[in-house]
Amino acid sequence: MGTLGILLSLVLLMYLAYRGINVLILAPLLALLALLFSGETALLLPTYTQVFMKAMGGYMIQFFPLFLLGALFGKLMDDSGSALAIARGIVAKVGSQRAILAIVLACGLLTYGGVSLFVVAFAVYPIGAALFREAGIPKRLIPGAIALGAFTFTMTALPGTPAIQNAIPSPFFGTDAFAAPGLGLIAGLIMLGLGSWWLSAQARQLMTAGEGYGVHDDEPAQQELRDIPGFWLALLPILLVIALNFVMAKQILPQVDASFLAKPEFGGLQDAKSLIGIWSIIVALGAAIVLLVTLHWRRWVDLKRSVNDGAFGSMLPILNTASEVGYGTVIASLAGFVVIRDLVLGVSSNPLVSEAVAVNILAGITGSASGGMSIALKTLGEQYLALATSAGISPELLHRVAAMASGCMDTLPHNGAVISLLAICKLSHRESYKFIFVNTVAFPLVALTVVITLGSLFGSF
């Protein structure tokens, strides 16, 4: 009954989230529903306050700075005109005749630099609509192009990306954002190459069949002409994020005397290895925000409002993800979870395969890359690290596989980012989800398989 309750709870979480009920409400209720099936009715309130809320709070303590700084950086990039300037600059350099590749690269560069995927979608969509209309490419391919650039290789594969999905494995495995850089680059190229080729082939096929851009009454308003910065000036904060993240993670922070961490007030840690990845991104984003504000001092219409809106914009994402972590912690504490855990761990003797399966399943159920990975690593991270150590597999490889696995099954139809992207583009699942699915689920799974295979054969590189 306990295992049945867990499965029922997971199915309801996926279904009700797809129906639009907020996870802040769903997560604690469905966690307690699973507890009821286990027969532990007397533990409802203690489990809620001492297990669910403690895990939720712990996640927020650990990752809130990344959500806050990431949302703030994205908002300032948007309000300063930098995101728009970069998107236009990429389009100008690549050429409007390669509209699909131009949109993919624009989204990729912005998200690799730390700009929120929602900011990217809002900034790039009007440009994409104009380009696709001019080239006669069906509008329903736009979400696939934006998703390829924003939801895939720059989110989970490319080394150094400040995306939260690339930061979550760090404290579990003692790694940083540049874990397994060679494998990450290979995976990124696979996703970019296959996705761009397939979207272009789909465009040619549809246009040959007589489908053009189409007639749409809800076209985006043309973005007003405003004083936007030059391309390279707009790019400077992004370059700083990437460079400073690398220098802090590889050169400066590993040399810091972190013996003070052994004190109780700092958590009693033996070293800073589990914190370097997060500290590096905090420093990089913080410095980039200061540079961004300084560079565009004369362009701010209302800097205080931009800062406040950016800060408020971080609240819902961190609360949603932290609630999912609380849910996962409760599920992992139930006796029925042992069956599921043993099943997942027994999928393969290769811990990389088992980890990939677990993260994929949980990311798909929760509709969240960060939420699914957090649940998987919170409940099984120690086992995976122990199995990998005994098998001679490096933690860096575990990091990269976990990050990449989180970005495969997460974009099922109930995923919040998918729903938001379709709403921004004013298209339906029926019209455009196929193009999102292939680029954000199918091709990332291909890339993940390649990384696991190469990692198993040659180790981390």
Side-chain angles (χ1 to χ4, degrees):
M1 285 297 291
T3 303
L4 177 63
I6 291 173
L7 295 177
L8 175 63
S9 172
L10 290 171
V11 170
L12 286 174
L13 178 65
M14 181 167 60
Y15 174 74
L16 294 175
Y18 178 68
R19 301 296 298 178
I21 300 178
N22 193 282
V23 74
L24 289 174
I25 298 172
L26 288 179
L29 290 180
L30 292 178
L32 296 180
L33 173 66
L35 182 65
L36 284 176
F37 270 79
S38 71
E40 302 286 352
T41 55
L43 298 179
L44 285 178
L45 289 177
T47 298
Y48 176 64
T49 59
Q50 304 306 113
V51 180
F52 181 93
M53 289 305 302
K54 185 177 179 180
M56 181 178 177
Y59 183 88
M60 293 184 67
I61 289 171
Q62 193 166 44
F63 292 111
F64 177 69
L66 302 189
F67 280 87
L68 175 64
L69 293 173
L72 181 55
F73 180 68
K75 181 62 176 173
L76 293 175
M77 284 288 291
D78 188 23
D79 287 358
S80 67
S82 297
L84 181 59
I86 291 172
R88 288 179 175 175
I90 292 290
V91 169
K93 295 178 189 307
V94 173
S96 58
Q97 70 276 14
R98 291 189 287 272
I100 290 176
L101 180 61
I103 295 305
V104 172
L105 292 179
C107 292
L109 180 58
L110 287 167
T111 50
Y112 187 50
V115 181
S116 160
L117 58 89
F118 296 106
V119 170
V120 170
F122 276 112
V124 173
Y125 168 57
I127 299 173
L131 283 176
F132 279 45
R133 189 188 309 111
E134 180 182 345
I137 300 172
K139 179 185 177 181
R140 58 198 184 106
L141 290 172
I142 295 177
I146 293 176
L148 174 59
F151 298 3
T152 61
F153 57 96
T154 59
M155 186 177 84
T156 64
L158 293 188
T161 175
I164 188 65
Q165 291 80 6
N166 193 37
I168 288 173
S170 293
F172 293 98
F173 303 135
T175 50
D176 57 51
F178 293 88
L183 290 170
L185 285 172
I186 291 172
L189 289 174
I190 290 172
M191 289 185 240
L192 173 60
L194 288 177
S196 299
W197 164 78
W198 186 77
L199 280 176
S200 297
Q202 288 294 300
R204 288 192 298 270
Q205 181 179 330
L206 292 173
M207 293 165 71
T208 301
E211 182 176 345
Y213 181 80
V215 178
H216 303 275
D217 298 328
D218 50 7
E219 285 299 276
Q222 293 297 313
Q223 292 172 313
E224 72 280 6
L225 293 175
R226 54 173 169 150
D227 176 30
I228 64 173
F231 175 77
W232 291 107
L233 185 65
L235 196 59
L236 272 180
I238 285 180
L239 295 177
L240 180 63
V241 170
I242 298 168
L244 191 54
N245 187 9
F246 179 83
V247 171
M248 295 301 296
K250 299 298 185 183
Q251 303 295 328
I252 297 178
L253 290 179
Q255 306 300 321
V256 172
D257 179 10
S259 57
F260 61 88
L261 291 174
K263 297 179 180 179
E265 60 265 34
F266 293 111
L269 299 177
Q270 296 302 310
D271 55 49
K273 196 174 181 181
S274 64
L275 300 173
I276 285 176
I278 294 175
W279 285 353
S280 300
I281 298 175
I282 290 174
V283 172
L285 285 174
I289 288 170
V290 172
L291 178 63
L292 190 54
V293 170
T294 305
L295 284 176
H296 305 293
W297 188 255
R298 297 180 181 276
R299 288 190 174 88
W300 301 116
V301 176
D302 189 343
L303 180 58
K304 181 176 71 174
R305 180 174 181 178
S306 295
V307 170
N308 286 341
D309 287 350
F312 292 144
S314 69
M315 295 293 114
L316 189 57
I318 181 67
L319 286 171
N320 281 342
T321 306
S323 291
E324 290 168 347
V325 172
Y327 169 85
T329 304
V330 172
I331 296 299
S333 71
L334 302 178
F337 181 74
V338 174
V339 176
I340 298 174
R341 183 197 66 195
D342 292 344
L343 184 64
V344 171
L345 290 174
V347 165
S348 171
S349 58
N350 186 337
L352 298 177
V353 175
S354 176
E355 179 187 49
V357 170
V359 174
N360 259 299
I361 290 174
L362 288 167
I365 289 170
T366 60
S368 167
S370 55
M373 176 167 49
S374 296
I375 293 172
L377 296 186
K378 181 80 174 177
T379 55
L380 297 170
E382 288 186 11
Q383 288 96 319
Y384 286 135
L385 185 57
L387 289 171
T389 301
S390 64
I393 296 173
S394 79
E396 285 74 20
L397 190 50
L398 280 177
H399 176 126
R400 189 54 54 210
V401 168
M404 288 185 58
S406 76
C408 297
M409 298 295 289
D410 64 313
T411 44
L412 293 179
H414 62 290
N415 173 265
V418 169
I419 294 170
S420 297
L421 175 59
L422 290 172
I424 291 169
C425 297
K426 298 178 176 61
L427 291 164
S428 67
H429 279 77
R430 184 176 183 178
E431 292 171 304
S432 292
Y433 181 68
K434 165 188 172 183
F435 307 107
I436 296 174
F437 177 86
V438 172
N439 279 308
T440 64
V441 178
F443 291 150
L445 281 172
V446 172
L448 177 61
T449 302
V450 171
V451 166
I452 291 174
T453 302
L454 292 176
S456 299
L457 292 173
F458 306 109
S460 177
F461 59 89

